[in-house]
Amino acid sequence: MKNFELFLSETGISIFYVKIGLGFIFSFLISFFSVPTIIKISRRKNLMDEPGVRSSHLRKIPNLGGIAVFYSIGICASIFAYELFELYKFLFASMIILLYIGVMDDIVVMRAYKKLVAQIIVSALIVIGSDIRIRSLFGIFGIFELGYFVSILFSIITFIILINAFNLIDGIDGLAGGYSIICSALFGISYYRLGEYNYPLVVLSVVIIGAVLAFLYYNLSNYRTNKIFMGDTGSMLLGFLLAFTSICFIDIFIDKSLPGVPKYHLQSAPVIAVAILILPIVDTLNVIFVRLYNRKSPFDADKNHIHHKLLKLDLTHRRSSFYIILYYLFIVAIAYCFRHFNINLLLLIVIALGFIGAYLPDIIYLLRNNKKTIN
């Protein structure tokens, strides 16, 4: 690969844009042509997702689409963004562990504590082994630089929360995949604007987009024989990678000694990252609060997720996913426009708008029922 880069530099062609183009094309094609084989094997071996309490589908659907996403990202990222795997030695190992745990859970349904132990190991590997951690809160609640052990603990918890949060929003067609594409695009654009030192992260973001876009072709398919879910394999992998990219984004504004790092300091960097990932964060917090209020275990399955509320309004999966993503993109736009506000005020605005979005379907449902009662 390095010889190929040397050849391109001699011809005057930018290796970065070649990596972007090839990374997207190959990640899309690998995922696109892998899914039909996975669907065929899943149907033959009856490796299907059965409709349950939380399910929004009525028939058995293959749920190993995450394998194709991993396969595509694993190949293309290690070729076109190999610098990341040289810099962060435990990144690929963490992805492999998540693949194993995800596939096991999709096939035989693992106990929650076993999944949690695996997620703790994965998070510890990337946080301690690769030193990917939240080092500062930039003044949120008056807290700036975190002590080493506090930073490690907080970062591991953040990884675990985001891995599970993406798993929880994967309840209707197109939502987890579509939101992952949006998040990757936003982080990718940010990395591109922040200098060439971050170009491998831009390539990683593009590779994720290509792999998930191909998966969505089947996930949103109206043909019964083509449909597939990403399962825990895909949702945990995407949650992990987006947690990784978000923490890397925050870290850019801390170590200014690195080449290509912006000379300005974005005080609201953690809030921007929260705004980009606001949907899984708010949805997870909301369902936990509701379950605890109803004196139920936070791990009990229910239909209090945002996507379930929109389905209750008789919207289709596609429209529900579109409206949810559109609303939370609005929150990202607000956070970006007011990025120079006081960081605590901006965080309050972002979280408040996030919870308003979570309860807006409930308000619409109540108003609609009241109108029907009056009539």
Side-chain angles (χ1 to χ4, degrees):
M1 188 67 183
K2 290 183 178 179
N3 291 333
F4 181 62
E5 290 181 15
L6 182 62
F7 168 75
L8 287 176
S9 63
E10 289 175 353
T11 57
I13 301 173
S14 172
I15 182 63
F16 168 67
Y17 294 107
V18 172
K19 285 181 177 180
I20 287 288
L22 293 180
F24 176 80
I25 292 170
F26 280 104
S27 64
F28 181 89
L29 291 177
I30 291 171
S31 184
F32 186 83
F33 288 109
S34 298
V35 171
T37 303
I38 293 170
I39 292 175
K40 187 183 298 183
I41 294 172
S42 296
R43 292 189 177 280
R44 188 176 299 168
K45 301 296 183 180
N46 197 31
L47 304 175
M48 315 279 273
D49 184 46
E50 301 278 354
V53 177
R54 283 178 51 195
S55 302
S56 55
H57 60 286
L58 302 176
R59 63 177 187 272
K60 294 193 294 185
I61 304 289
N63 66 335
L64 295 175
I67 295 177
V69 174
F70 171 87
Y71 183 48
S72 177
I73 294 173
I75 292 174
C76 294
S78 60
I79 294 174
F80 300 109
Y82 63 87
E83 299 93 339
L84 291 176
F85 298 98
E86 291 180 353
L87 187 60
Y88 308 116
K89 303 296 184 183
F90 294 93
L91 178 59
F92 197 73
S94 300
M95 292 169 60
I96 291 291
I97 295 172
L98 282 176
L99 171 68
Y100 175 77
I101 297 301
V103 171
M104 287 288 290
D105 192 48
D106 287 331
I107 294 176
V108 298
V109 185
M110 294 180 64
R111 291 188 177 181
Y113 79 89
K114 291 184 178 180
K115 286 172 62 178
L116 181 60
V117 169
Q119 290 167 5
I120 291 173
I121 293 171
V122 166
S123 302
L125 276 176
I126 197 71
V127 171
I128 300 172
S130 297
D131 202 33
I132 297 296
R133 55 192 174 89
I134 301 170
R135 306 167 198 272
S136 171
L137 293 186
F138 292 68
I140 294 177
F141 308 127
I143 303 171
F144 287 87
E145 187 174 349
L146 298 174
Y148 180 71
F149 291 106
V150 174
S151 173
I152 285 176
L153 182 61
F154 185 62
S155 301
I156 289 175
I157 292 172
T158 300
F159 266 103
I160 293 170
I161 289 173
L162 288 175
I163 289 171
N164 286 287
F166 265 88
N167 189 21
L168 290 175
I169 68 168
D170 184 30
I172 58 174
D173 298 340
L175 182 56
Y179 199 76
S180 298
I181 288 175
I182 296 298
C183 291
S184 296
L186 291 170
F187 280 125
I189 293 169
S190 300
Y191 285 128
Y192 178 77
R193 295 182 62 194
L194 291 170
E196 61 184 41
Y197 181 80
N198 305 296
Y199 280 1
L201 286 164
V202 179
V203 177
L204 174 64
S205 298
V206 170
V207 165
I208 293 172
I209 292 170
V212 178
L213 198 60
F215 161 79
L216 281 179
Y217 173 81
Y218 298 97
N219 181 235
L220 295 173
S221 174
N222 289 323
Y223 296 100
R224 182 174 178 177
T225 54
N226 280 349
K227 200 168 192 64
I228 192 170
F229 299 150
M230 68 169 63
D232 284 3
T233 307
S235 60
M236 287 199 299
L237 175 67
L238 291 174
F240 170 77
L241 289 175
L242 289 169
F244 169 79
T245 52
S246 65
I247 292 176
C248 286
F249 171 76
I250 296 170
D251 211 29
I252 288 174
F253 298 96
I254 296 175
D255 191 354
K256 295 188 178 182
S257 64
L258 296 174
V261 171
K263 301 302 179 185
Y264 65 91
H265 178 72
L266 183 61
Q267 186 72 20
S268 60
V271 181
I272 298 297
V274 168
I276 293 175
L277 299 171
I278 189 65
L279 169 60
I281 292 171
V282 163
D283 192 49
T284 302
L285 291 175
N286 179 54
V287 294
I288 289 175
F289 292 157
V290 170
R291 290 168 188 173
L292 291 176
Y293 178 78
N294 292 325
R295 296 182 180 179
K296 294 182 179 179
S297 168
F299 303 103
D300 285 350
D302 58 31
K303 290 195 173 183
N304 288 314
H305 294 280
I306 300 170
H307 53 267
H308 287 136
K309 295 177 181 181
L310 285 176
L311 292 179
K312 199 175 175 182
L313 294 173
D314 298 325
L315 294 176
T316 63
H317 283 217
R318 291 186 182 185
R319 285 195 175 186
S320 298
S321 296
F322 175 75
Y323 289 145
I324 292 171
I325 292 172
L326 189 65
Y327 179 80
Y328 286 99
L329 268 177
F330 161 72
I331 296 178
V332 174
I334 292 293
Y336 180 77
C337 289
F338 298 103
R339 63 190 180 279
H340 297 301
F341 264 35
N342 175 276
I343 188 170
N344 288 291
L345 177 60
L346 184 59
L347 179 63
L348 180 63
I349 292 171
V350 167
I351 297 296
L353 288 173
F355 276 99
I356 288 171
Y359 285 97
L360 200 55
D362 291 324
I363 296 170
I364 295 172
Y365 184 78
L366 288 173
L367 290 174
R368 180 186 290 181
N369 280 357
N370 288 339
K371 188 175 180 181
K372 286 181 180 178
T373 304
I374 294 171
N375 292 337

